[in-house]
Amino acid sequence: MGAIRMFEKGEYIVCHNIGVCLVENVTKQDINQVNEDELYYVLQPMDSKDSKIYSAVNNEKMAMRKVIPYEEVHKLMEQLGNIMPIEIIDEKKREEVYKDALYQCECIEWARLIKTIYYRKEEKAKKGKKITSTDTKYLKKAEDFLYQELAISMKVEPMEVKERVLDEIGIKKN
């Protein structure tokens, strides 16, 4: 059994299906059906300041990692121009492919998803069509996750990050 990686109170982390969260506390829960000795993270999602999420420290089902350090942001930005869009072979499995990319909990995969959907949006626009609600949903999630994380690392606003990321990926702004 591997060692449990502990996050500290006040630290920003990324949770696989939530995005960036602030670790508000690491505490024991005083609830009947809970092991009294088990530690829990009290997490505040960045995109939902009124919410609190309680997750057992040893919860192996929820992938968690520290926010990318500032020193690695530059390397990531350099990679963005060379990332390839995700190849969708079977349209019926598009959402599954998007979900897999999103929940890998990796900045580069979020950027690939963003690039994929922007390219799809461009192709649809040429035909006078719009992207699907599925595309819109996963684009928003990928952008929120990536821009929030990089904004925390860079100590800037997410909108500043968005402009830079889209430039690096090679997305033309309308």
Side-chain angles (χ1 to χ4, degrees):
M1 189 160 147
I4 297 171
R5 189 172 74 229
M6 289 285 295
F7 300 109
E8 305 289 323
K9 180 179 177 179
E11 197 170 16
Y12 287 98
I13 64 171
V14 179
C15 298
H16 86 161
N17 61 345
I18 302 164
V20 178
C21 296
L22 174 65
V23 178
E24 284 196 342
N25 206 352
V26 182
T27 186
K28 294 179 182 176
Q29 293 296 310
D30 189 20
I31 303 172
N32 284 344
Q33 287 114 5
V34 172
N35 178 348
E36 291 177 13
D37 294 328
E38 191 170 22
L39 286 176
Y40 282 78
Y41 293 120
V42 180
L43 305 173
Q44 177 195 356
M46 294 310 298
D47 65 353
S48 182
K49 302 265 186 197
D50 296 334
S51 297
K52 298 275 185 269
I53 295 170
Y54 297 84
S55 178
V57 168
N58 64 356
N59 181 352
E60 294 176 7
K61 293 179 184 169
M62 186 184 300
M64 294 183 219
R65 65 171 172 80
K66 288 185 178 186
V67 167
I68 185 174
Y70 178 78
E71 300 76 39
E72 291 182 29
V73 172
H74 184 70
K75 283 190 270 184
L76 174 70
M77 289 294 189
E78 286 179 343
Q79 291 179 305
L80 294 181
N82 298 323
I83 61 170
M84 298 300 294
I86 300 167
E87 189 176 341
I88 309 291
I89 297 166
D90 184 349
E91 280 297 318
K92 293 176 186 164
K93 294 186 178 178
R94 174 176 295 283
E95 184 168 14
E96 190 178 313
V97 172
Y98 286 175
K99 196 178 288 187
D100 287 347
L102 189 68
Y103 295 145
Q104 282 187 39
C105 202
E106 293 295 331
C107 292
I108 201 77
E109 288 304 312
W110 296 335
R112 285 184 73 209
L113 186 53
I114 292 166
K115 186 173 192 171
T116 301
I117 297 173
Y118 266 98
Y119 278 18
R120 184 170 164 83
K121 190 176 187 179
E122 208 172 85
E123 289 302 310
K124 292 269 187 183
K126 287 177 187 174
K127 297 174 184 172
K129 296 181 178 182
K130 294 185 178 188
I131 58 174
T132 66
S133 61
T134 299
D135 290 329
T136 302
K137 172 181 147 184
Y138 284 95
L139 176 61
K140 179 174 179 5
K141 275 190 162 281
E143 286 187 316
D144 286 350
F145 288 5
L146 182 62
Y147 304 155
Q148 286 173 3
E149 179 170 2
L150 295 181
I152 294 288
S153 294
M154 297 166 69
K155 296 178 176 37
V156 297
E157 290 299 314
M159 283 311 293
E160 288 181 54
V161 173
K162 179 178 182 173
E163 290 176 25
R164 183 151 175 223
V165 166
L166 293 180
D167 282 345
E168 294 292 337
I169 288 176
I171 302 297
K172 298 179 213 126
K173 295 183 195 65
N174 298 337

